[in-house]
Amino acid sequence: MAELSNEQKRDFEAAAFRRLVEHLRERGDVQNIDLMNLAGFCRNCLSNWYREAAEADGVTLSKDESREIIYGMPYAEWQALNQTEASEGKKAEFEAKRPRDH
């Protein structure tokens, strides 16, 4: 394996993160509850992690600001365009698997 500098690792991680965010923006048909049930995280988790990283560096972001960064638009707008009602089965699965911090 190639020896990577810390800067290269950071740059590659940032590029992979940007690609993930762009992919999720393009896939508005994929519901957050589906992501949570399958992978244990969703767009809201990403926005929370983003906000936590900013705060660790002394930058204050609101929940709405960090969500807009991840969603590419205000959260309420994304919900109106993309969010559908989850089935009772999906809701039950989420409750069974729900992380403690959600």
Side-chain angles (χ1 to χ4, degrees):
M1 183 168 109
E3 189 68 30
L4 301 175
S5 70
N6 287 336
E7 293 80 17
Q8 287 174 311
K9 288 178 187 177
R10 180 201 62 222
D11 292 348
F12 298 158
E13 289 165 354
F17 175 78
R18 287 190 300 271
R19 189 166 179 185
L20 171 62
V21 168
E22 184 61 32
H23 180 75
L24 291 173
R25 286 178 183 173
E26 292 171 1
R27 291 298 311 269
D29 61 309
V30 177
Q31 299 296 297
N32 280 335
I33 196 165
D34 296 324
L35 290 169
M36 286 297 297
N37 287 346
L38 291 172
F41 80 99
C42 67
R43 294 168 183 90
N44 291 337
C45 297
L46 287 175
S47 71
N48 291 339
W49 299 337
Y50 191 99
R51 188 175 71 249
E52 290 168 5
E55 289 174 355
D57 202 38
V59 177
T60 301
L61 290 175
S62 71
K63 185 161 91 171
D64 289 337
E65 289 171 327
S66 64
R67 282 185 174 182
E68 189 165 341
I69 289 167
I70 298 301
Y71 284 89
M73 65 183 70
Y75 181 56
E77 184 179 331
W78 187 90
Q79 285 180 304
L81 290 171
N82 298 291
Q83 190 164 321
T84 60
E85 182 65 28
S87 70
E88 291 305 315
K90 287 180 182 183
K91 290 178 186 178
E93 183 180 357
F94 175 76
E95 288 303 323
K97 295 179 178 179
R98 180 184 204 120
R100 290 187 182 142
D101 61 347
H102 282 73

